[in-house]
Amino acid sequence: MRTYHCFWLLFWAGQPHQSFLRPLSKRTSGFPEKEKVLVLSGNSRQDLHRSKRSWMWNQFFLLEEYTGTDYQYVGKLHSDQDKGDGSLKYILSGDGAGDLFIINENTGDIQATKRLDREEKPVYILRAQAINRRTGRPVEPESEFIIKIHDINDNEPMFTKDVYNASIPEMSDVGTFVVQVTATDADDPTYGNSAKVVYSILQGQPYFSVESETGIIKTALLNMDRENREQYQVVIQAKDMGGQMGGLSGTTTVNITLTDVNDNPPRFPQSTYQFRAPESTPLDSPVGRIKANDADVDENAEIEYSITEGDGYDVFGITTDKDTQEGIITVKKALDFESKNLYILKVEATNTHVDPRFLYLGPFKDSATVRIQVEDVDEPPMFSRPAYIMEVKEDVPVNSVIGTVTAQDPDAAKNPVKYSVDRHTDMDRVFNINSGNGSIFTSKPLDREALLWHNITVIAAEINNPKQSSRVPVFIKVLDVNDNAPEFAMFYETFVCENAKAEQLIQTLSAVDKDDSYNGHQFSFSLAPEAASSSNFTLQDNRDNTAGIFTRKTRYNRHETSTYFLPVVISDNDYPIQSSTETVTIRVCACDHRGKMLSCNAEALIHPTGLSTGALIAILLCIIILLVTVVLFAALRRQRKKEPLIISKEDIRDNVVSYNDEGGGEEDTQAFDIGTLRNPEAIDDNKLRRDIVPETLFMPRRTATARDNTDVRDFINQRLKENDTDPTAPPYDSLATYAYEGNGSVAESLSSLESVTTDGDQDYDYLSDWGPRFKKLADMYGPIDSDKDS
């Protein structure tokens, strides 16, 4: 049943009487609304006056999601000026006017044409006006009114996430916050309980709980252990209408993970471990691995291993493998089966990250016993030293013993040992060794100046098992003896001026010695006995390993003697004393008054006095450039004068040489004689080839004269055979030309040139019978007499 609600609207018109407009609201909810009358201004009718015309409306209310088949009735607009004669027309404008909301222009009834959704638009603002149909003028001012959409519970709560992920530490207290879930309801929160959401837990009890109003999830069970169960899936429901019956609901899933805490100590799975290690195990090599199990993960399961007790505390060590959390037992000192073959260790495993909250569970460490059995192996011989250093003088005789190395078998069997030198370290076989006692002796002479140190390797191997061997380096230093005479530090070649004065220094000498001197070298200089008395120069020893050469006379003449050779004796003071004779070359040169050399003889040293080195280099470069220019010019002249026979880059054997010589024709009998080609007797016996130098002179071979009726093929084959067997013939890749024309053809000449020389005229009348294509040709060669007669 529909209930009509009347809304009175009073407005003042520009007339002496009062008019009323009644908007009637018709609702479908079935709940009546009491009638409202609103007065625009004044306290009574007598006080009203024509100050202002205005509308005064109440709101229209409409339920959303209307499911009826007819249009939904909204309300009715009515003006008291409406006499019911149809003279007034009602107009509606604003939100949805004409589309969503329509008005009967005669009655003022407003209807909704579509289902309305409050969540899309909760309020519609429209404007109404009454106009005179005849004049089109408004009889009432335009005013606004509101249509509010009443909410119904048509939206279920929606969580902000489909799946929540959360984590909390294991062993947490009851009531520990886990995560907060949130659900929203699109319905109107100000109208009823359609948007009031209540949370509840559907799955996850008794481990977790949720607060009904806030959606906060908390732990509900004490001491949840990750090692027992790590993952939990909780289902939370959000229901509107305050959780009452008939409310809509939505759910979400919360995945909760228990994170690890260090609440489990490490534990060895066994109390004793047994390992075996050969006595030859290298240092830092692993002997075995042990592992303590820890139910925790990540850093809470990290373990530190240590050796706390045992007789092998300093022999073995233990480290932690960070990837597997295993303890690796390694060798710190060399093992020896003969001295000790069993070690007992106590190994302890401790957590590196201990949580003080769980110390009440006990100590977070464990210990185990490790027994290591050392096994005997056949060891190689061991030298008494890790390296040997020996010294020997360089002048010792061959086969002199310079030292001894010693090695023994460390095993209980004490197998005998033999020695040898690794020849890769002594390629020249300078040293050798006694295989029985290890004494090293020289096998070649030594020279300290050639090689000061000899580094060799000695091998000691068991006689019964040569594979068991060891090596030791031996460093041999060669000691110096005075076996080298001193000599000049450089080659001395100097000059003396012709105008030199007596006792004038012309050169200072110095010497070097290859030998080593502990106290420093002391050299003495003197002239050779044969030059001491007759020499034109004197030598003065400066006693500091240098000497000076002085002139003995006043003047020298380069034309008489251009070069002097002065022998100098150099001696050292070591034992035995070594001496040598060196020669100083002295040239006589012309000098200026300041002693600067001007010129010497042809053999003298060249000292450029007039030109600098740069000037001489520039002159030399100019000469070279000039020579290169001349050579290039000559080469271009020769290339321009002699054109190449073959321009192509291909091989000469693959080309025919063209000489571009046309010749004089058939009448030119001087250019080529065909008779000579056919008559070999015409060949000049004295003519030889000019393209090669013959090693042996061969006489030209005589061939039979060709007959006049010789066939061309026979002629060519005959000449080809002669060239193949003739040693004086041209090279194999030359082109041999045989200019033989032949005896003529049976068909005679086909040349049209001979036709003009014939005495008789030819008849071309047959050309007219060949058709129109040959008509022009027939006219050209037609009979001439007919033309003349015409």
Side-chain angles (χ1 to χ4, degrees):
M1 179 180 73
R2 293 185 178 177
T3 303
Y4 291 87
H5 305 274
C6 297
F7 294 84
W8 290 92
L9 177 65
L10 303 180
F11 70 96
W12 299 105
Q15 298 166 354
H17 64 274
Q18 185 181 12
S19 63
F20 298 93
L21 178 68
R22 299 194 304 271
L24 303 179
S25 176
K26 198 171 186 179
R27 293 181 52 87
T28 60
S29 61
F31 297 94
E33 184 175 312
K34 67 179 182 178
E35 186 178 74
K36 297 181 180 179
V37 178
L38 301 178
V39 180
L40 178 61
S41 62
N43 296 327
S44 64
R45 288 188 175 183
Q46 289 77 10
D47 298 330
L48 296 177
H49 56 86
R50 298 176 59 189
S51 64
K52 185 176 182 181
R53 296 178 181 179
S54 178
W55 293 77
M56 202 65 168
W57 300 85
N58 279 337
Q59 297 179 352
F60 289 129
F61 294 92
L62 193 64
L63 285 178
E64 65 172 337
E65 302 296 342
Y66 173 70
T67 58
T69 58
D70 298 333
Y71 289 162
Q72 187 178 5
Y73 187 79
V74 178
K76 184 180 182 66
L77 296 180
H78 184 72
S79 174
D80 58 355
Q81 293 188 15
D82 188 358
K83 307 301 182 179
D85 55 359
S87 61
L88 295 183
K89 177 181 179 182
Y90 296 96
I91 298 174
L92 189 66
S93 62
D95 296 339
D99 178 22
L100 185 58
F101 299 102
I102 60 175
I103 188 171
N104 190 321
E105 62 182 13
N106 296 320
T107 63
D109 293 331
I110 302 174
Q111 291 177 317
T113 62
K114 299 180 180 178
R115 295 177 57 182
L116 303 177
D117 189 358
R118 190 201 65 84
E119 286 70 37
E120 293 182 0
K121 190 174 180 64
V123 176
Y124 294 86
I125 301 175
L126 293 96
R127 293 178 295 278
Q129 192 174 30
I131 63 175
N132 190 298
R133 284 182 181 273
R134 185 174 58 83
T135 63
R137 294 181 179 182
V139 298
E140 301 287 352
E142 185 183 56
S143 295
E144 290 184 351
F145 64 95
I146 298 174
I147 299 177
K148 295 188 66 176
I149 309 302
H150 268 182
D151 182 47
I152 63 172
N153 189 18
D154 59 343
N155 292 279
E156 70 275 5
M158 299 291 293
F159 283 94
T160 57
K161 295 181 181 179
D162 294 335
V163 178
Y164 289 82
N165 294 303
S167 61
I168 58 169
E170 62 174 333
M171 310 298 289
S172 297
D173 296 332
V174 175
T176 302
F177 174 83
V178 179
V179 70
Q180 183 177 11
V181 296
T182 304
T184 58
D185 196 318
D187 293 326
D188 188 1
T190 63
Y191 183 76
N193 295 326
S194 298
K196 186 178 182 181
V197 179
V198 175
Y199 300 94
S200 62
I201 184 168
L202 301 181
Q203 177 183 323
Q205 294 175 332
Y207 307 103
F208 300 95
S209 62
V210 62
E211 293 183 357
S212 60
E213 295 183 358
T214 62
I216 295 176
I217 301 175
K218 300 180 179 180
T219 58
L221 190 64
L222 185 64
N223 294 334
M224 286 188 292
D225 194 359
R226 186 199 64 83
E227 288 71 32
N228 294 330
R229 183 178 177 182
E230 184 177 4
Q231 296 288 339
Y232 294 87
Q233 190 175 73
V234 178
V235 178
I236 302 297
Q237 175 184 268
K239 191 174 183 180
D240 59 11
M241 298 298 292
Q244 299 177 3
M245 293 292 294
L248 303 179
S249 64
T251 59
T252 186
T253 301
V254 183
N255 296 322
I256 302 175
T257 303
L258 296 183
T259 58
D260 185 58
V261 297
N262 193 6
D263 58 340
N264 294 278
R267 290 289 181 263
F268 283 106
Q270 60 193 65
S271 60
T272 304
Y273 293 85
Q274 295 279 351
F275 297 105
R276 293 181 177 274
E279 61 176 336
S280 59
T281 302
L283 297 180
D284 297 327
S285 298
V287 174
R289 289 172 174 255
I290 61 175
K291 183 177 182 180
N293 298 325
D294 195 327
D296 298 321
V297 293
D298 299 334
E299 68 175 12
N300 296 320
E302 293 181 1
I303 301 173
E304 186 73 26
Y305 295 91
S306 60
I307 299 175
T308 58
E309 298 179 10
D311 50 4
Y313 181 81
D314 58 343
V315 179
F316 297 94
I318 188 169
T319 58
T320 303
D321 188 338
K322 298 300 182 182
D323 296 330
T324 62
Q325 295 300 316
E326 292 179 316
I328 306 174
I329 301 175
T330 57
V331 178
K332 292 172 59 178
K333 290 186 178 180
L335 304 178
D336 188 6
F337 173 82
E338 288 73 25
S339 60
K340 188 175 181 61
N341 57 16
L342 179 63
Y343 294 90
I344 300 177
L345 309 174
K346 184 178 180 181
V347 178
E348 187 175 80
T350 307
N351 278 139
T352 56
H353 301 278
V354 178
D355 194 337
R357 297 178 299 170
F358 305 103
L359 290 177
Y360 67 92
L361 298 177
F364 282 79
K365 59 183 178 180
D366 195 14
S367 60
T369 301
V370 179
R371 298 170 61 89
I372 302 176
Q373 183 73 41
V374 180
E375 297 178 342
D376 187 23
V377 296
D378 189 6
E379 299 177 274
M382 294 184 59
F383 285 93
S384 59
R385 299 178 187 176
Y388 292 85
I389 300 178
M390 301 179 183
E391 295 181 347
V392 59
K393 291 187 176 181
E394 61 177 328
D395 60 346
V396 297
V398 177
N399 296 327
S400 299
V401 177
I402 60 176
T404 303
V405 296
T406 304
Q408 292 182 354
D409 184 8
D411 297 326
K414 300 298 180 183
N415 294 320
V417 177
K418 64 176 181 180
Y419 303 91
S420 62
V421 176
D422 186 358
R423 289 307 173 188
H424 292 91
T425 61
D426 187 22
M427 302 294 291
D428 297 331
R429 296 181 176 270
V430 180
F431 301 96
N432 211 335
I433 191 170
N434 190 310
S435 61
N437 57 18
S439 59
I440 301 174
F441 57 90
T442 60
S443 57
K444 289 185 179 180
L446 303 176
D447 186 4
R448 187 202 68 87
E449 288 71 34
L451 187 60
L452 177 61
W453 284 92
H454 294 267
N455 302 329
I456 66 174
T457 300
V458 175
I459 303 173
E462 295 182 4
I463 296 178
N464 299 333
N465 187 10
K467 293 183 179 180
Q468 294 294 334
S469 62
S470 58
R471 298 167 175 262
V472 67
V474 179
F475 307 102
I476 302 173
K477 182 179 181 180
V478 181
L479 301 179
D480 183 49
V481 296
N482 192 25
D483 58 346
N484 291 280
E487 57 188 12
F488 280 152
M490 57 180 294
F491 175 73
Y492 289 102
E493 184 175 9
T494 185
F495 71 95
V496 61
C497 295
E498 287 183 312
N499 56 357
K501 299 179 180 180
E503 302 297 329
Q504 181 179 342
L505 177 65
I506 61 173
Q507 183 66 48
T508 301
L509 308 176
S510 62
V512 293
D513 196 336
K514 295 180 180 179
D515 293 324
D516 190 12
S517 178
Y518 298 101
N519 299 322
H521 292 290
Q522 290 293 331
F523 302 128
S524 60
F525 300 85
S526 63
L527 293 177
E530 64 272 13
S533 58
S534 61
S535 176
N536 293 306
F537 302 92
T538 60
L539 182 68
Q540 179 179 341
D541 192 347
N542 298 327
R543 305 298 180 182
D544 59 353
N545 294 336
T546 63
I549 299 177
F550 294 86
T551 57
R552 176 174 285 183
K553 60 182 182 179
T554 302
R555 297 186 63 83
Y556 295 86
N557 191 342
R558 59 173 172 162
H559 299 290
E560 295 179 358
T561 304
S562 61
T563 304
Y564 294 93
F565 298 98
L566 187 64
V568 178
V569 178
I570 311 173
S571 304
D572 58 19
N573 63 345
D574 291 334
Y575 180 82
I577 296 177
Q578 300 288 339
S579 63
S580 65
T581 301
E582 302 286 335
T583 301
V584 179
T585 302
I586 304 174
R587 300 186 183 275
V588 181
C589 301
C591 304
D592 58 10
H593 66 280
R594 293 176 296 181
K596 186 176 182 180
M597 182 182 67
L598 297 177
S599 65
C600 298
N601 54 14
E603 299 179 357
L605 292 174
I606 299 176
H607 292 280
T609 58
L611 296 176
S612 63
T613 304
L616 292 176
I617 294 175
I619 294 173
L620 183 61
L621 290 176
C622 292
I623 295 173
I624 293 174
I625 294 173
L626 182 60
L627 291 176
V628 171
T629 305
V630 172
V631 172
L632 291 176
F633 181 78
L636 291 175
R637 287 286 301 273
R638 180 177 300 177
Q639 183 178 4
R640 186 178 302 172
K641 183 181 297 183
K642 184 177 182 180
E643 294 292 334
L645 297 179
I646 299 176
I647 302 177
S648 174
K649 297 182 180 179
E650 299 294 330
D651 192 1
I652 190 171
R653 292 174 292 179
D654 298 336
N655 295 275
V656 178
V657 179
S658 176
Y659 293 91
N660 297 326
D661 189 6
E662 184 176 357
E666 296 177 352
E667 297 179 357
D668 187 3
T669 58
Q670 302 297 325
F672 187 81
D673 189 3
I674 189 68
T676 304
L677 182 65
R678 301 190 60 181
N679 185 14
E681 294 179 355
I683 301 177
D684 190 359
D685 297 341
N686 297 328
K687 291 183 179 180
L688 300 177
R689 293 181 60 187
R690 292 183 297 174
D691 56 338
I692 60 172
V693 178
E695 296 180 358
T696 305
L697 296 177
F698 296 93
M699 297 303 294
R701 301 181 60 181
R702 296 289 181 178
T703 58
T705 304
R707 298 189 301 273
D708 293 339
N709 58 352
T710 302
D711 188 75
V712 176
R713 179 181 298 176
D714 297 337
F715 174 80
I716 295 299
N717 290 335
Q718 180 182 353
R719 290 294 185 264
L720 180 62
K721 183 176 181 181
E722 291 174 1
N723 277 276
D724 290 340
T725 57
D726 188 5
T728 62
Y732 70 94
D733 54 355
S734 297
L735 180 65
T737 304
Y738 307 100
Y740 181 75
E741 185 175 358
N743 292 329
S745 174
V746 179
E748 297 182 353
S749 177
L750 300 179
S751 174
S752 62
L753 298 177
E754 290 187 20
S755 62
V756 298
T757 62
T758 59
D759 297 331
D761 295 333
Q762 297 186 19
D763 186 10
Y764 296 98
D765 294 337
Y766 61 90
L767 294 176
S768 301
D769 301 331
W770 286 6
R773 294 186 178 182
F774 294 89
K775 184 177 182 305
K776 183 66 176 178
L777 190 62
D779 294 341
M780 294 174 60
Y781 290 91
I784 303 176
D785 297 336
S786 62
D787 297 335
K788 291 180 179 180
D789 296 336
S790 61

